[in-house]
Amino acid sequence: MTSQPAAASHVPRSGTTVRVPGSGTSERQRDAERTKAEILEVAQQEFARHGYAGARVDEIAARMRTTKRMIYYYFGSKERLYIAVLEKAYAEVREMERAIEVEHLAPVEAIRALAELTFDHHDLHRDFIKLVAIENIHQAEHIRKSEALAGLGTPVLDLISRILDAGTASGDFVTEADAIDVHMLISSFCFFRVANQHTFGALFGRDMTAPEHRARLRAMVGDAVVAYLRGAGA
């Protein structure tokens, strides 16, 4: 019986590199970054809901349909995961602030835009407010351990300083203001409205986050900062 020719083997010869679509380093890196981003998203919700002490990595893993071991593979520990969540949350605020092109705005418009955008961010990112409150309970213990957060406040202070300098030069601002004070004035109003909504509502019968109050309070924070810089009450 005549033997048939052997079928061509699909097994690579020694030394041959087989390239499988989607198996490249860049694809693996994208998958890893996507997985880390998804873990951070779920972890942020858990830490905001239960605090640092109360949040469970097992619960984060269960919601991710992965394992605690996988989370530790990417972040090392619960504390490092929490710090990464804080870094992400604060980086998003700084990204929002960098979106303001102050060079194209008059000083009054620029500082009002910063105040209103901060109001919008805090209104939309309630978990950020909870995380900041939680970290204050811990006396910023974890923030102090983050190299990424060490200089993250500098850009917003530079931004405010540029607005203040322009306002002083134009004569719009007459108060000798400090950038940190102005940042605190804006942040305290926007933060308090969300962080203290429940106690304030219980004491005074008003939900500060209710839609019917939003436009008025958003305008109020801008008005307050502008009035301060223009010397009201001096």
Side-chain angles (χ1 to χ4, degrees):
M1 186 173 182
T2 305
S3 60
Q4 298 295 323
S9 174
H10 293 288
V11 178
R13 294 188 299 274
S14 177
T16 301
T17 301
V18 178
R19 299 191 179 278
V20 179
S23 67
T25 301
S26 61
E27 182 64 28
R28 288 196 298 271
Q29 288 174 340
R30 284 194 294 272
D31 287 342
E33 290 304 313
R34 185 161 51 245
T35 299
K36 289 173 67 175
E38 290 170 354
I39 292 172
L40 284 175
E41 191 68 30
V42 174
Q44 178 171 311
Q45 296 168 11
E46 285 298 307
F47 284 122
R49 184 177 296 115
H50 301 293
Y52 174 69
R56 308 285 297 177
V57 177
D58 286 323
E59 180 62 24
I60 296 170
R63 289 184 58 189
M64 284 287 302
R65 297 185 179 180
T66 186
T67 64
K68 185 160 74 171
R69 181 178 178 181
M70 177 61 72
I71 293 175
Y72 285 155
Y73 170 79
Y74 283 115
F75 295 98
S77 67
K78 177 183 177 180
E79 182 180 47
R80 285 303 314 167
L81 175 60
Y82 176 65
I83 291 173
V85 166
L86 290 173
E87 290 172 346
K88 169 182 175 291
Y90 274 97
E92 288 172 350
V93 180
R94 299 291 91 93
E95 189 66 29
M96 175 274 296
E97 292 161 347
R98 281 194 291 269
I100 303 174
E101 299 182 1
V102 295
E103 290 78 8
H104 304 293
L105 295 173
V108 170
E109 294 172 342
I111 201 66
R112 187 182 294 278
L114 177 60
E116 292 179 349
L117 282 174
T118 302
F119 183 98
D120 291 342
H121 175 274
H122 288 12
D123 188 51
L124 292 172
H125 297 81
R126 306 292 175 89
D127 282 352
F128 170 74
I129 304 300
K130 294 176 183 178
L131 289 169
V132 174
I134 290 165
E135 187 59 8
N136 272 286
I137 292 173
H138 291 277
Q139 300 180 8
E141 171 190 350
H142 305 95
I143 284 180
R144 297 182 198 280
K145 295 179 180 180
S146 169
E147 294 182 6
L149 290 173
L152 203 59
T154 302
V156 68
L157 296 182
D158 289 343
L159 172 66
I160 294 173
S161 294
R162 294 203 309 274
I163 297 173
L164 295 179
D165 289 344
T168 300
S170 67
D172 288 304
F173 301 154
V174 299
T175 301
E176 188 175 337
D178 178 85
I180 294 178
D181 288 347
V182 173
H183 180 57
M184 182 179 66
L185 176 59
I186 294 171
S187 296
S188 59
F189 185 101
C190 300
F191 186 92
F192 182 94
R193 171 179 169 269
V194 178
N196 291 47
Q197 60 180 293
H198 303 295
T199 52
F200 197 90
L203 291 170
F204 301 105
R206 175 176 292 178
D207 179 2
M208 296 185 294
T209 62
E212 62 267 26
H213 302 305
R214 189 181 189 281
R216 186 184 74 260
L217 295 176
R218 186 176 187 267
M220 185 186 294
V221 64
D223 291 341
V225 178
V226 171
Y228 167 69
L229 293 175
R230 283 179 162 170

